[in-house]
Amino acid sequence: MTRDHFSAREMPLQNDDVEICKRIFDRVCTTHHITSDPERDHLASQIIYFYQHGVTNEQSLERLMASIAGDKKN
């Protein structure tokens, strides 16, 4: 099967994609003091979800995740 047969959210992440998501994950965890495994797992899932659904700009995705993380702390 070729890439044409997959929607964006079904495509496996490539190395560059994973690196972007990991950088965002690390920065959001540090900035918002996210240390528990359940919170970290949830954040990772959200980052991948939004990335696969079209939020692929690193700064935009980081702002989105930071705002979600900030809302959860309040």
Side-chain angles (χ1 to χ4, degrees), residues 2-65:
T2 66
R3 286 180 82 102
D4 296 338
H5 291 92
F6 293 101
S7 70
R9 65 182 173 272
E10 294 171 326
M11 286 299 300
L13 295 177
Q14 302 300 309
N15 287 340
D16 291 343
D17 303 323
V18 172
E19 288 175 20
I20 290 169
C21 292
K22 174 126 177 44
R23 283 194 301 267
I24 294 167
F25 175 82
D26 290 341
R27 287 192 300 258
V28 173
C29 283
T30 299
T31 302
H32 293 278
H33 310 289
I34 298 172
T35 58
S36 76
D37 286 341
E39 285 181 304
R40 291 169 61 86
D41 290 346
H42 185 68
L43 176 62
S45 296
Q46 287 183 313
I47 290 170
I48 292 168
Y49 174 85
F50 284 111
Y51 192 89
Q52 289 181 317
H53 284 82
V55 186
T56 57
N57 177 275
E58 189 167 347
Q59 291 77 23
S60 296
L61 185 53
E62 184 174 352
R63 280 193 305 273
L64 175 61
M65 293 298 97

